[in-house]
Amino acid sequence: MIEEDDANYEYTRFLFSQLNFELIRAVNGTQALELFEKEKGLRAILIDLKISDIGRYDIMVKIRDIDPVIPIIVQTDFALPGDKEMALKAGCTEYLTKPILKERLLSLLFSLIE
């Protein structure tokens, strides 16, 4: 998960606490790319569009260069007109706006990793 905001990370961690998932956090794009290249067996990536060190669409392009098929789910409260289209063009699989509903996120995640 690429999430700079502690409260948003804790909320997502809470959503996953009842499941058999390991949630790995990167607080910026650089750290995310390092983790992504090092960690094997990742099944999906959750990204908040508020990334301070790498452009919000550039991070998805870089991930796609490494792995063209891993599901990338954008979660954002920073939705501007055209953001969804730009995120999809950059390589995201799904685009969700906050507040994220537990049922929606988990249903989507399970459908993408099965």
Side-chain angles (χ1 to χ4, degrees):
M1 170 176 209
I2 308 170
E3 176 63 69
E4 293 182 352
D5 184 83
D6 291 336
N8 288 338
Y9 169 72
E10 289 301 325
Y11 175 72
T12 306
R13 191 170 71 89
F14 170 75
L15 294 181
F16 285 87
S17 66
Q18 302 295 318
L19 304 171
N20 191 23
F21 284 111
E22 179 182 4
L23 188 63
I24 301 170
R25 181 185 186 189
V27 295
N28 60 47
T30 302
Q31 184 182 39
L33 289 173
E34 290 170 3
L35 283 170
F36 187 63
E37 290 177 340
K38 182 176 73 171
E39 295 288 331
K40 302 303 175 204
L42 295 178
R43 299 181 65 196
I45 298 176
L46 304 174
I47 298 178
D48 186 311
L49 284 184
K50 286 191 282 186
I51 300 173
S52 59
D53 64 335
I54 295 179
R56 55 189 172 167
Y57 304 115
D58 295 336
I59 187 72
M60 288 178 265
V61 171
K62 290 175 189 261
I63 290 169
R64 283 287 169 241
D65 287 344
I66 298 166
D67 186 334
V69 297
I70 191 164
I72 299 173
I73 302 171
V74 167
Q75 306 176 99
T76 188
D77 55 2
F78 188 65
L80 297 173
D83 275 350
K84 181 176 182 177
E85 293 76 18
M86 292 294 292
L88 290 168
K89 184 177 178 182
C92 93
T93 309
E94 292 289 339
Y95 185 95
L96 302 174
T97 55
K98 294 178 182 177
I100 303 297
L101 301 175
K102 177 182 179 178
E103 295 78 19
R104 172 74 176 121
L105 176 60
L106 296 179
S107 172
L108 176 60
L109 188 59
F110 283 125
S111 74
L112 291 172
I113 65 173
E114 292 187 315

